[in-house]
Amino acid sequence: MASVPKRVAERLASGLKRYQPILDSARARDVNESDTSMIVSDMLAEVFGYDKYTEVTRELCIRGTYCDLAVKIDQKLQFLIEVKAIGTELKDQHVKQAVDYAANQGIEWVALTNGADWKVFRVSFGKPIDKELVLDINVLSLLAKDEDHISRLFLLTRESIVKSALEAYHDQKQATSKFILSAVVQSDAVLEVVRRELRRMSPDIRIETDDLRSAMVQDVLKRDVIEGEEADRARKKVHRAANRMLRIKKQEAEEPAETPTSGVRSSQPSAAERGTQG
């Protein structure tokens, strides 16, 4: 996770101390969605560092409907925010609404929040459109002195968006997901290493890569990481990466070697030699 600049960490810590009582009070009073949206708008400015007047837009019109908040930097939409009343439990239908807004606007990032809970999704524009939960935090449970808590909160800040820290966090999280790890373990490259290690232990055994893959699938890996759409996507991603590496190695092997020039004297006289001639 990206390191948090000291001044940003201090702003986040003081912001937590200021807004946790405000959110607690709002929840106790069961304030409505409009009032919750006002609190979230203030948090975007005072905690997360966005300019309230030039970078935060309220009621963004999207195909005849309105998304509660949108964040722009240099006039470019960065992410949308759908706000629910602070007493509302965030459910699947709310996620769908937020993702639909992002899909209709062509925006990759969307946040769903009730002020206390923040769920940030990455939207992928395939067929069908899909989403991935990247960040899920509860502001009321965070501790201002906990560096890990501050680091996670940092991902929502303006500084994070400018530095693509949220994108990097997503990439790291995706690379270490159970589906990707399962797909890597099932890949020919990894199974070949396992096969060699097993032969070192027992030189007389004869085991093929396909036999190892079957053993992994049937006896080692859990079913939820080898079946389903996410598992299929992970296998395709690992396969594409392996093919890309093979192409690179093939291209490098086909490139002609440079002709060595060391030790070969040019037939043309040097500038110094030309100066002494005549």
Side-chain angles (χ1 to χ4, degrees), residues 94-166:
H94 302 140
V95 174
K96 183 180 184 305
Q97 181 184 8
V99 171
D100 285 347
Y101 284 146
N104 287 330
Q105 192 67 24
I107 300 297
E108 288 184 329
W109 293 97
V110 61
L112 174 64
T113 183
N114 57 13
D117 295 308
W118 289 73
K119 298 179 182 291
V120 180
F121 296 88
R122 169 76 179 273
V123 180
S124 55
F125 300 98
K127 293 184 179 180
I129 290 173
D130 200 7
K131 90 282 186 187
E132 179 185 355
L133 179 61
V134 177
L135 189 64
D136 188 359
I137 59 177
N138 180 282
V139 172
L140 293 174
S141 68
L142 299 181
L143 301 176
K145 294 183 178 181
D146 190 305
E147 290 185 3
D148 182 60
H149 289 186
I150 293 297
S151 294
R152 296 183 67 208
L153 196 62
F154 168 71
L155 295 172
L156 292 169
T157 65
R158 185 186 193 280
E159 291 83 359
S160 166
I161 299 301
V162 169
K163 294 181 179 180
S164 300
L166 182 60

Side-chain angles (χ1 to χ4, degrees), residues 63-214:
R63 295 192 178 184
T65 60
Y66 292 88
C67 181
D68 295 308
L69 295 166
V71 170
K72 295 181 179 181
I73 297 178
D74 296 330
Q75 298 303 309
K76 181 181 178 181
L77 272 175
Q78 299 294 331
F79 64 95
L80 306 179
I81 304 174
E82 179 62 13
V83 181
K84 298 300 174 185
I86 194 166
T88 301
E89 180 183 355
L90 303 181
K91 298 182 178 179
D92 288 344
Q93 65 262 32
H94 302 140
V95 174
K96 183 180 184 305
Q97 181 184 8
V99 171
D100 285 347
Y101 284 146
N104 287 330
Q105 192 67 24
I107 300 297
E108 288 184 329
W109 293 97
V110 61
L112 174 64
T113 183
N114 57 13
D117 295 308
W118 289 73
K119 298 179 182 291
V120 180
F121 296 88
R122 169 76 179 273
V123 180
S124 55
F125 300 98
K127 293 184 179 180
I129 290 173
D130 200 7
K131 90 282 186 187
E132 179 185 355
L133 179 61
V134 177
L135 189 64
D136 188 359
I137 59 177
N138 180 282
V139 172
L140 293 174
S141 68
L142 299 181
L143 301 176
K145 294 183 178 181
D146 190 305
E147 290 185 3
D148 182 60
H149 289 186
I150 293 297
S151 294
R152 296 183 67 208
L153 196 62
F154 168 71
L155 295 172
L156 292 169
T157 65
R158 185 186 193 280
E159 291 83 359
S160 166
I161 299 301
V162 169
K163 294 181 179 180
S164 300
L166 182 60
E167 187 83 33
Y169 175 77
H170 164 261
D171 291 344
Q172 180 179 0
K173 184 177 180 181
Q174 190 178 58
T176 56
S177 75
K178 60 183 181 181
F179 300 102
I180 291 292
L181 294 176
S182 170
V184 169
V185 168
Q186 296 176 66
S187 68
D188 288 344
V190 171
L191 291 175
E192 182 59 31
V193 173
V194 174
R195 190 177 75 88
R196 289 201 303 267
E197 290 301 315
L198 290 175
R199 291 195 64 182
R200 286 178 184 168
M201 294 170 56
S202 303
D204 295 333
I205 67 170
R206 291 292 180 267
I207 186 167
E208 299 300 327
T209 301
D210 287 341
D211 297 328
L212 279 176
R213 184 177 290 107
S214 296

